[in-house]
Amino acid sequence: AQSVTQPDIHITVSEGASLELRCNYSYGATPYLFWYVQSPGQGLQLLLKYFSGDTLVQGIKGFEAEFKRSQSSFNLRKPSVHWSDAAEYFCAVGAVDGNKLVFGAGTILRVKS
Amino acid sequence: GAVVSQHPSRVICKSGTSVKIECRSLDFQATTMFWYRQFPKQSLMLMATSNEGSKATYEQGVEKDKFLINHASLTLSTLTVTSAHPEDSSFYICSAFRPGFATYEQYFGPGTRLTVT
């Protein structure tokens, strides 16, 4: 079965610093990968997705992610973090059946000024 | 485009009563909608898959008689928590799958905070 691991529960970065959130997946074939962001008390917003093609994917709000098949990873990056980026970030992989998504546990990002 | 709404955003109900949560796709037709439950500081747990015009498919461990799902139209799915108890208090999020577009891509509603007293 598919699974997603986000090894970092919390990450704190300074405003203006770079950010990398880690995501590892388990899936036999080429995965469909997603990053979502959730602000407190809100639903999820899609940041970016990878289906095929270029392994470096650009998303909204200045985020990007790189698919590395050899490492089974899909890490999210941002070169300069803004205070408004503080939120929880979820990595997800498309499951085999029924267009379901399997989510990682999430990483809470704190931004310090 | 691809906006999903939920109503209500917050609801408080007394133990033993039922509460209905609506999930609507506002600008597209959703043949499939998903219902998730999220506990504080935890990830989303898929409860059920709702397909228009057919019975919902529940994930293992989810009580189908307690969490009634109806997907009567291509833009509306409802989740009814029957005989609610304090342990049902949670954040419920729906999502909609838009057919003909990107595989697996789901559009999420803003969530409903249920508190059972």
Side-chain angles (χ1 to χ4, degrees):
Chain A
Q2 298 80 25
S3 66
V4 177
T5 302
Q6 293 180 247
D8 304 305
I9 299 174
H10 295 98
I11 281 187
T12 300
V13 299
S14 298
E15 190 170 16
S18 64
L19 169 71
E20 183 169 34
L21 301 182
R22 296 183 291 166
C23 172
N24 293 98
Y25 66 90
S26 171
Y27 190 69
T30 299
Y32 291 77
L33 294 162
F34 303 82
W35 274 101
Y36 286 89
V37 60
Q38 183 182 32
S39 297
Q42 301 295 317
L44 275 68
Q45 181 183 22
L46 179 66
L47 285 176
L48 46 78
K49 61 195 177 194
Y50 172 79
F51 292 164
S52 65
D54 194 345
T55 56
L56 185 61
V57 180
Q58 301 297 320
I60 63 171
K61 303 185 180 188
F63 285 93
E64 67 179 25
E66 186 171 13
F67 170 62
K68 292 186 178 180
R69 183 187 300 275
S70 62
Q71 298 177 20
S72 297
S73 69
F74 188 57
N75 294 347
L76 182 71
R77 301 194 294 245
K78 186 169 185 177
S80 178
V81 169
H82 189 261
W83 64 267
S84 60
D85 294 323
E88 187 159 17
Y89 292 79
F90 292 96
C91 181
V93 64
V96 172
D97 61 314
N99 289 300
K100 296 179 185 178
L101 292 175
V102 175
F103 285 87
T107 297
I108 296 173
L109 173 65
R110 298 192 179 105
V111 180
K112 59 181 181 180
S113 56
Chain B
V3 179
V4 176
S5 70
Q6 276 184 249
H7 179 80
S9 58
R10 291 178 174 271
V11 58
I12 301 172
C13 70
K14 293 190 175 181
S15 186
T17 62
S18 296
V19 61
K20 180 185 287 188
I21 302 170
E22 294 185 347
C23 177
R24 292 181 185 273
S25 56
L26 298 184
D27 50 2
F28 66 99
Q29 293 184 329
T31 54
T32 302
M33 290 183 172
F34 301 91
W35 287 95
Y36 295 86
R37 184 173 180 177
Q38 186 178 32
F39 291 101
K41 302 189 186 303
Q42 294 189 27
S43 189
L44 283 74
M45 180 192 80
L46 179 65
M47 299 174 66
T49 302
S50 167
N51 292 296
E52 188 268 337
S54 64
K55 290 185 178 180
T57 303
Y58 291 82
E59 296 298 304
Q60 193 171 7
V62 177
E63 298 176 62
K64 60 179 68 175
D65 293 331
K66 180 165 192 63
F67 298 100
L68 300 179
I69 291 171
N70 184 282
H71 194 157
S73 79
L74 285 171
T75 59
L76 174 64
S77 175
T78 59
L79 168 68
T80 301
V81 183
T82 62
S83 186
H85 288 95
E87 57 265 30
D88 299 324
S89 298
S90 191
F91 193 56
Y92 293 87
I93 304 176
C94 73
S95 71
F97 172 71
R98 187 165 63 168
F101 288 80
T103 304
Y104 295 108
E105 187 169 339
Q106 298 177 20
Y107 299 92
F108 286 81
T112 296
R113 173 75 59 193
L114 170 64
T115 303
V116 185
T117 62

